[in-house]
Amino acid sequence: MGIRLEMILPMVVSVIIAATFLVKIDTHDYKKQKLTKELEFNETTLVEVDTNKTLGLAHCDHGLYENSVWTLLTVTYYTDSIEYLKADKATYQEDTVYLDGNVTLYQKGGYHYETQHAVYHKQKEEIEITSPFTAVLGENIIKGDWLLYKARQKEGFARKIDAVVYTNEK
């Protein structure tokens, strides 16, 4: 009593058919895939300097530099004029910083801004708040939909404002 060909042949054919369904053939060339991530870091302090002094200081929980774009998560930023600026996410591309999620800005001198989205134009020294915001100086409270603050001129422009402003009596 031996193993007959009629019994082996269906088993071999079944194994071959099962193997063809289990094997995936991929024509993707993995050698051509280019890695773009240049730098990734955790719990880091970044210091911005020129030849004379420190310009700014940023601390973040996680950061990534990829394709000439800095992306920082849970960031706090300090300068001479900014007591601190916090955001859940900051994307820095060329001279523009895009801030998203729980953006809070405390300026030296008492101004305090809160919003969800803002754009800081570094060369022009302008911050554009692109979502509903609240600005506070002492007892003065300003709420609105959009704000452009020019730091050099100390001018602010806003839309759809609702404000409580206390003036000095003369």
Side-chain angles (χ1 to χ4, degrees):
M1 178 169 187
I3 299 178
R4 299 188 64 173
L5 187 58
E6 292 89 20
M7 294 173 69
I8 295 176
L9 195 57
M11 287 177 24
V12 170
V13 170
S14 299
V15 168
I16 291 173
I17 290 173
T20 59
F21 285 117
L22 294 174
V23 174
K24 181 181 175 187
I25 298 174
D26 190 5
T27 59
H28 184 72
D29 188 5
Y30 290 100
K31 292 178 185 175
K32 290 184 180 178
Q33 185 177 4
K34 184 179 178 183
L35 297 175
T36 58
K37 188 186 320 180
E38 298 171 34
L39 180 64
E40 187 170 8
F41 46 89
N42 293 314
E43 294 291 331
T44 303
T45 300
L46 304 168
V47 180
E48 182 180 12
V49 297
D50 68 2
T51 56
N52 298 325
K53 64 178 182 171
T54 300
L55 300 174
L57 196 72
H59 176 77
C60 67
D61 286 348
H62 182 78
L64 177 68
Y65 182 70
E66 184 174 20
N67 295 327
S68 300
V69 177
W70 292 92
T71 303
L72 307 175
L73 301 179
T74 315
V75 63
T76 305
Y77 181 69
Y78 310 91
T79 67
D80 289 342
S81 61
I82 297 173
E83 192 170 327
Y84 69 84
L85 170 66
K86 289 185 175 187
D88 292 342
K89 180 180 178 185
T91 306
Y92 183 50
Q93 186 171 12
E94 295 177 8
D95 281 335
T96 305
V97 182
Y98 302 93
L99 303 160
D100 295 303
N102 299 318
V103 179
T104 305
L105 169 64
Y106 277 91
Q107 281 188 303
K108 293 183 179 168
Y111 274 107
H112 164 177
Y113 304 93
E114 290 181 358
T115 186
Q116 289 299 312
H117 305 286
V119 179
Y120 178 61
H121 304 282
K122 193 170 178 186
Q123 288 288 33
K124 297 189 247 180
E125 292 184 28
E126 295 178 352
I127 187 162
E128 181 179 8
I129 297 176
T130 58
S131 66
F133 70 92
T134 302
V136 178
L137 176 61
E139 294 179 350
N140 301 321
I141 301 171
I142 302 169
K143 295 181 181 184
D145 277 355
W146 174 87
L147 173 74
L148 176 64
Y149 179 72
K150 297 181 178 186
R152 284 184 193 154
Q153 295 89 353
K154 297 193 184 222
E155 293 179 336
F157 302 94
R159 285 195 301 233
K160 296 184 181 176
I161 62 170
D162 180 16
V164 175
V165 179
Y166 295 92
T167 60
N168 293 333
E169 291 185 28
K170 292 186 180 185

